[in-house]
Amino acid sequence: MTPGTQDPVPQPLLPSDVELFLKSNPDFLMERPELMASLLPDRDLGTGVVDFQARALKALRTEADELRAGAREVIHTARENMSLQNATHQAVVALLGAESLQDLMIVLTQDVPMMVHVDLAALICEPGLPLPLAGQVIQVPHGEIDRLLGNSDVRLRPFCGTGAALYGEASALIRSDALVRLRHSGHPPAVLALASRDTGAFEPGQGTELLVFLATVLDFCLIRWLTRD
């Protein structure tokens, strides 16, 4: 715009402009039921006459609101699942990159918790591991793994209660945990434990596929280094 000129005055829309737009976009009002409902005048149909149009529009508006809320929830859940999946893959790569048995335990106890957003990750094992590794795992008596998990491979505890004593010095902080059995032979009975200081961080009904995947990778890494060492 050159100096001294004025901004052009916006021209008002003509009814023909609105009509042309709506004809060119036939779904415009159908996709905006709340707008369509606000544009329709209230109708006085007389005593005892039911306005089905108003009821239909109200139902349509409610359905649209529910669909939008449902879509937001699905998107939020999908984003959370994708974030957890990426974190698990990152932890798996770290475990596979360990260069010794001791390094594997360091990655598990120091790196994995930060990657999967928990406060503690540990290997819980019954007696029988090689002595160099004994100080790097939580050892429990014979039969304790079956007592903890029963017939299940995964146990999610929203509140550990006195069961948090399992974690030694960290027990005072732990409120919720996930226990996943390591199923393969080659070492004494063991579980992967992921624990959080937040009550309800793990709850029955949550998906466990990624937990089992992480535990399976740890299991194979453990067998590989035990065999090699």
Side-chain angles (χ1 to χ4, degrees):
M1 181 180 298
T2 58
T5 60
Q6 297 181 348
D7 293 338
V9 178
Q11 298 298 317
L13 285 174
L14 299 175
S16 58
D17 296 328
V18 178
E19 181 180 357
L20 178 61
F21 174 81
L22 292 176
K23 286 182 178 179
S24 302
N25 300 271
D27 295 330
F28 181 80
L29 290 177
M30 293 300 297
E31 293 172 352
R32 297 164 176 81
E34 65 284 353
L35 174 62
M36 184 168 62
S38 67
L39 294 175
L40 292 175
D42 293 332
R43 301 188 301 171
D44 184 4
L45 302 180
T47 304
V49 179
V50 178
D51 188 351
F52 285 102
Q53 173 182 285
R55 292 194 174 189
L57 287 173
K58 182 179 180 181
L60 184 61
R61 187 186 303 117
T62 301
E63 181 180 359
D65 290 342
E66 291 175 350
L67 287 173
R68 279 193 292 268
R72 286 193 293 267
E73 183 176 351
V74 168
I75 292 171
H76 177 71
T77 301
R79 286 174 176 169
E80 282 192 339
N81 289 342
M82 183 61 68
S83 176
L84 181 57
Q85 179 176 307
N86 290 339
T88 304
H89 290 170
Q90 184 182 9
V92 163
V93 171
L95 291 173
L96 291 173
E99 297 181 351
S100 68
L101 189 57
Q102 286 70 28
D103 189 33
L104 178 67
M105 291 298 101
I106 292 173
V107 170
L108 173 65
T109 57
Q110 297 183 16
D111 299 337
V112 169
M114 292 185 294
M115 294 174 180
V116 298
H117 310 297
V118 297
D119 294 297
L120 181 148
L123 176 66
I124 301 174
C125 189
E126 295 183 5
L129 283 176
L131 288 178
L133 191 59
Q136 296 178 293
V137 302
I138 297 173
Q139 293 208 36
V140 293
H142 290 291
E144 183 69 8
I145 299 301
D146 284 339
R147 191 195 69 79
L148 284 170
L149 293 177
N151 295 325
S152 301
D153 286 340
V154 182
R155 183 181 181 188
L156 305 180
R157 300 193 291 184
F159 180 66
C160 297
T162 56
L166 185 68
Y167 300 107
E169 295 180 356
S171 299
L173 298 176
I174 298 304
R175 294 292 180 270
S176 179
D177 66 0
L179 305 174
V180 188
R181 190 190 302 270
L182 305 189
R183 295 296 303 178
H184 298 87
S185 60
H187 55 70
V191 299
L192 166 65
L194 300 177
S196 171
R197 67 180 67 201
D198 297 325
T199 300
F202 299 97
E203 293 185 347
Q206 290 180 344
T208 59
E209 293 84 0
L210 291 174
L211 290 174
V212 172
F213 175 53
L214 182 61
T216 300
V217 172
L218 173 63
D219 203 354
F220 283 121
C221 290
L222 185 60
I223 293 171
R224 179 182 67 179
W225 288 114
L226 285 173
T227 303
R228 181 175 299 183
D229 292 349

